[in-house]
Amino acid sequence: MDQQEHPRTPRLAFLGLGHMGAPMAGRLLAAGHPLTVWNRTASRAAPLVARGARLAASPAEAVRDADVVLTMLATPEAVREIARQIGPALRPGAHWVELSTVGPELVREVAAGLPKEVALVDAPVLGSTDKARAGTLGLLAGGDADAVEPVLSALGTVTRTGPSGTGAALKLVVNTAVLGGVALVGEAMRLADALGVPEETAKAALGRSALGGAVPRAFAEDVHFAVELAVKDAGLATSVAHLPALEAVREHFAAHPDLAHEDIAAAVTRIRTAEN
């Protein structure tokens, strides 16, 4: 067979090397993809550069020759700014995979501003830093993901959700359940303390209850879903629909700015120990 008949490995650009982005980029590098990276704090790219990634000086430089661009950013504002910088530099035929949690409205806004030869796939992820390191994330892919699914499979399991924006929408639905469940575990443990129920007994019983899936996340260690990002995600959801329970969770998380950079498990502890 002619060597030219073999499809070449896609060239990737990964922008955003925070708690989630760095291990995800590492998984793509380990899968053998030529990888260019960019991060606002360039020093965070050093471990990936040591493994063979190329560090770009700007977002536009990072994406200029990429077949697939992946972004993992903290806020809708950050995604909007990156779109402004990389839009003119994306080459015809490129695919942009937006992995952040930003909501469907921003996905539609960004897609509308891209050159018609560039495809946007919204593929926010389910799972925390432990699953990012292991390559076992869930990816909720909205839009035409055929061309990028082989790339995304290095990060975890891809679930097709439908047209553009549906992945971003489903992520808000899932996060609403996760954040609400974790907060409720904190309150249940506070009640257990008040009633004198031993901690391990209460945790075991809750683990067998309808809250079972939220219990291990409420007490997880060595993972990171920052409280400030939980506040952002809850805000995105409550801006779409009237969600009184989630609004109460958001207000509680937002009321403790000292926990902003801590994992949401720290908020469970605060709920449990808060004064009446």
Side-chain angles (χ1 to χ4, degrees), residues 9 15 30 49 61 103 117 122 125 143 155 167 173 183 191 204 206 213 237 239 242 259:
T9 303
L15 285 66
V49 172
E61 179 189 326
E117 302 88 357
D122 52 299
V125 302
L155 303 175
V173 173
L191 178 60
L206 288 170
S239 71
H242 181 52
L259 300 181

Coordinates of all heavy atoms in Angstrom, one line a residue, residues 9 15 30 49 61 103 117 122 125 143 155 167 173 183 191 204 206 213 237 239 242 259:
T9 N -1.1 11.3 11.7 CA -1.6 11.6 13.0 C -1.9 13.1 13.1 O -1.1 14.0 12.7 CB -0.5 11.3 14.1 OG1 -0.1 9.9 13.9 CG2 -1.0 11.6 15.5
L15 N -4.9 24.4 24.7 CA -4.8 25.7 25.3 C -5.5 25.6 26.7 O -6.7 25.3 26.8 CB -5.5 26.8 24.5 CG -4.7 27.3 23.2 CD1 -4.6 26.2 22.2 CD2 -5.4 28.5 22.6
A30 N 0.9 11.3 25.3 CA 1.3 9.9 25.5 C 0.7 9.1 24.4 O 1.2 8.0 24.0 CB 0.8 9.4 26.8
V49 N 6.6 20.1 27.9 CA 7.7 20.5 27.0 C 8.8 19.5 27.2 O 9.4 19.0 26.2 CB 8.1 21.9 27.2 CG1 9.4 22.2 26.4 CG2 7.0 22.9 26.8
E61 N -0.4 31.6 17.7 CA 0.7 30.8 17.3 C 0.5 29.3 17.5 O 0.8 28.4 16.7 CB 2.0 31.2 18.0 CG 3.2 30.4 17.6 CD 4.4 30.6 18.5 OE1 4.6 31.8 18.9 OE2 5.2 29.7 18.7
G103 N -21.6 26.5 29.1 CA -23.0 26.6 28.7 C -23.3 26.7 27.2 O -22.4 27.2 26.5
E117 N -15.2 27.5 7.5 CA -14.4 26.3 7.2 C -13.9 25.6 8.5 O -13.2 24.6 8.5 CB -13.2 26.6 6.3 CG -13.5 27.3 5.0 CD -13.6 28.8 5.1 OE1 -13.5 29.3 6.2 OE2 -13.8 29.4 4.1
D122 N -18.5 21.1 21.0 CA -18.5 21.3 22.5 C -18.5 19.9 23.1 O -19.3 19.0 22.9 CB -19.7 22.1 22.9 CG -21.1 21.5 22.4 OD1 -21.2 21.5 21.2 OD2 -21.9 21.2 23.2
V125 N -16.3 17.9 30.0 CA -15.9 16.6 30.5 C -16.6 16.3 31.9 O -16.9 17.2 32.6 CB -14.4 16.5 30.7 CG1 -13.7 16.7 29.4 CG2 -13.9 17.5 31.7
G143 N -22.4 18.4 18.4 CA -22.0 18.8 17.1 C -21.4 17.6 16.4 O -21.5 16.4 16.8
L155 N -8.8 10.5 25.9 CA -9.1 11.2 27.2 C -10.2 10.5 28.0 O -10.3 10.7 29.2 CB -9.6 12.6 26.9 CG -8.7 13.5 26.2 CD1 -9.3 14.9 25.8 CD2 -7.4 13.8 26.9
G167 N -23.9 19.2 24.2 CA -22.9 18.7 25.2 C -22.8 19.7 26.3 O -22.8 19.3 27.5
V173 N -26.7 20.2 33.3 CA -27.6 19.3 34.0 C -26.9 18.4 35.0 O -27.3 18.2 36.1 CB -28.4 18.5 32.9 CG1 -29.3 17.4 33.6 CG2 -29.3 19.4 32.1
A183 N -23.6 18.9 48.3 CA -24.0 19.8 49.4 C -25.0 19.1 50.3 O -24.9 19.3 51.6 CB -24.7 21.1 48.8
L191 N -26.5 16.8 60.3 CA -27.5 16.2 61.1 C -27.1 15.0 61.9 O -27.4 14.8 63.0 CB -28.7 15.9 60.2 CG -29.9 15.3 60.9 CD1 -30.5 16.2 61.9 CD2 -31.0 14.9 59.8
A204 N -21.6 5.2 55.7 CA -22.0 3.9 55.1 C -23.4 3.9 54.7 O -23.8 3.4 53.6 CB -21.6 2.8 56.0
L206 N -25.4 6.5 54.1 CA -25.7 7.4 52.9 C -25.2 6.8 51.6 O -25.8 7.0 50.6 CB -25.0 8.7 53.2 CG -25.6 9.6 54.3 CD1 -24.7 10.8 54.6 CD2 -27.0 10.1 53.8
G213 N -24.1 8.0 45.0 CA -23.0 8.4 44.1 C -22.3 9.7 44.5 O -21.2 10.0 44.2
A237 N -26.2 27.5 35.4 CA -27.4 26.8 35.4 C -28.6 27.6 35.9 O -29.7 27.6 35.3 CB -27.3 25.5 36.3
S239 N -29.1 30.7 35.8 CA -29.4 31.8 34.8 C -30.4 31.3 33.8 O -31.0 32.1 33.1 CB -28.2 32.4 34.2 OG -27.6 31.5 33.3
H242 N -35.3 28.4 36.9 CA -35.5 28.7 38.4 C -35.2 27.4 39.1 O -35.9 26.4 39.1 CB -37.0 29.1 38.6 CG -37.3 29.4 40.0 ND1 -36.5 30.3 40.8 CD2 -38.3 28.9 40.9 CE1 -37.0 30.4 42.0 NE2 -38.1 29.6 42.1
L259 N -12.4 29.6 50.5 CA -12.4 28.3 49.9 C -12.4 28.3 48.4 O -12.4 27.2 47.8 CB -13.6 27.5 50.4 CG -13.8 27.3 51.9 CD1 -15.1 26.4 52.1 CD2 -12.6 26.6 52.5

